[in-house]
Amino acid sequence: MNIGYVIKTLRKQRKMTQEQIALEAEIATSNVSRIEKGLRQPSQKVLQKISKALDITPSVLYAASELPITSIPSFLENHKSAALQEHIHPIDLNADTSALLKLFHELSPSNKSLLLEQLKTLHRWQISTDVDVDNHTSIHRFN
């Protein structure tokens, strides 16, 4: 896990200093330095504070930390672009959809792919099955 490298990369992309992160996160600058160097792993509480200071979710930091080091900067840049687009064009989501998206973003890339395949299969099955809600009967249209 490269959480320190992710934090350092994101901090530099945001053109912030360790002191700025520490001030906003209400932690010591030396802690930020040790975390970035990989000498210390942040607790959940500290990671949440750092995430807030960097304007990103802890789940994105975790997801980035699981990637190969060479992929981390572009992943964070792409996530930044996606986050900006969401702020420009907010989508009104119900609670279930919001929870689903949050959980999906926390999955590893291979599990995301697996889940998408399962959803596609479920969707194909639903389309091929007409459910008569009033009579509680199903009409299967498998060919």
Side-chain angles (χ1 to χ4, degrees), residues 1 16 24-25 37 42 46 51-52 66 71 74 88 93 96 99 103 105 127 130 132:
M1 184 185 288
M16 296 177 77
E24 287 191 39
K37 290 177 182 174
V46 168
S51 297
K52 187 174 181 181
E66 296 296 325
S71 302
S74 62
I88 294 169
L93 303 175
D96 288 340
L103 292 171
H105 285 294
I127 289 172
D130 290 333
D132 182 349

Side-chain angles (χ1 to χ4, degrees), residues 40-100:
R40 180 174 181 202
Q41 289 297 315
S43 66
Q44 280 287 0
K45 186 176 180 179
V46 168
L47 188 64
Q48 287 178 341
K49 289 180 174 187
I50 292 172
S51 297
K52 187 174 181 181
L54 291 168
D55 193 28
I56 200 161
T57 63
S59 60
V60 172
L61 293 179
Y62 280 127
S65 73
E66 296 296 325
L67 297 172
I69 286 184
T70 56
S71 302
I72 292 172
S74 62
F75 174 84
L76 293 171
E77 277 294 329
N78 290 339
H79 185 272
K80 179 181 171 186
S81 300
L84 287 174
Q85 288 291 55
E86 285 181 21
H87 290 298
I88 294 169
H89 303 289
I91 301 171
D92 186 26
L93 303 175
N94 67 31
D96 288 340
T97 306
S98 294
L100 178 68

Side-chain angles (χ1 to χ4, degrees), residues 128 140-143:
S128 67
H140 297 282
R141 294 187 312 204
F142 291 108
N143 295 340

Side-chain angles (χ1 to χ4, degrees), residues 30-43:
S30 59
N31 284 343
V32 175
S33 176
R34 282 188 225 116
I35 291 167
E36 286 186 0
K37 290 177 182 174
L39 301 174
R40 180 174 181 202
Q41 289 297 315
S43 66

Side-chain angles (χ1 to χ4, degrees), residues 7-16 36 54:
I7 291 168
K8 181 178 181 177
T9 302
L10 193 56
R11 176 180 61 78
K12 287 185 173 189
Q13 286 179 351
R14 300 254 160 74
K15 295 177 176 37
M16 296 177 77
E36 286 186 0
L54 291 168

Side-chain angles (χ1 to χ4, degrees), residues 107-116:
L107 294 175
S108 68
S110 60
N111 284 339
K112 285 180 181 178
S113 179
L114 178 63
L115 180 58
L116 285 172

